[in-house]
Amino acid sequence: MSHLAANGPMQQLEEWDDFVATRYRQGKSEEEFRNYEADANPGVTQFYRQNHANQTFEFVLQKKAGYCGLTRGKKSVWEMAEYLNTLVDESDPDTDLTQIEHLLQTAEAIRKDGHPRWFILAGFVHDLGKILCLYGEPQWAVVGDTFPVGCAYSGEIVFPEFFGANPDSKVPKYQSKCGVYEPNCGLDKVHLSFGHDEYIYHVTRRYLPDEAQYMLRYHSFYPAHKHGAYRHLMNAHDEHMFEWVRKFNPYDLYSKGRERPNLQAILPFYKDLIAEFFPEQIDW
Ligand SMILES: [Fe+2]
Ligand SMILES: [Fe+2]
């Protein structure tokens, strides 16, 4: 049941995640993937219109300067998870998972496959950056597939035609293949469209191994980790680390629909896990 008005905004953040999961449904052919627009509801289409038009090079630099210095105070990881959980939509509570449930489902799926504790923890924290919404950021600056700004847009990005409305598309120095970057300079030097990935990477980077940092920072960078785009900006280390980004992705995409996590039963495990890697409070 959808409450969306034609061309209305996405009502819930999850609509983007659901759209991504539909696009990459297991076993879907490349041709079916190309028809993804048919799967997008008007809210999702409108979302990408705004995202592609407004994520300019300048915008990204400005948001990074505003958030990545972590000047919004100290809070524990669990407090932030509970804060994020207040982002509950008004639609059917029986079918939609809360934010904490999505984090726990992702983490539990990783845990069941016997992966290391830092990997499970990466699953638990991967979407905490969505608290940007609670700071007042619009959805198009929080979620959505990410892509480099300051260089040519890849045709592998969803709805590439919407970039025509981005002012950067008229700036020649931003539209050559490598744009403002050196070939194979490494993704750390490349500015991606701003969103929850970049923010949670900065919040957690001091406490998690490199593999986890890549998972968090690039989990929405579908043009690269699903489609192999932008290899001309990646270095050998990125290529190696993207194996971990790809290892993480199915847990994010396909853990939905598994049984609802029993919060009371698994809470002690997650409290211990958080305490093992993070101090009581960290900078946000
Ligand atoms: Fe995410
Ligand atoms: Fe997620």
Side-chain angles (χ1 to χ4, degrees), residues 8-22:
M10 284 199 298
Q11 278 206 332
Q12 324 149 26
L13 285 176
E14 282 93 320
E15 281 188 57
W16 170 68
D17 298 277
D18 291 344
F19 172 62
V20 172
T22 308

Side-chain angles (χ1 to χ4, degrees), residues 17 102 126-127 252:
D17 298 277
H102 168 61
H126 81 279
D127 277 342
D252 188 13

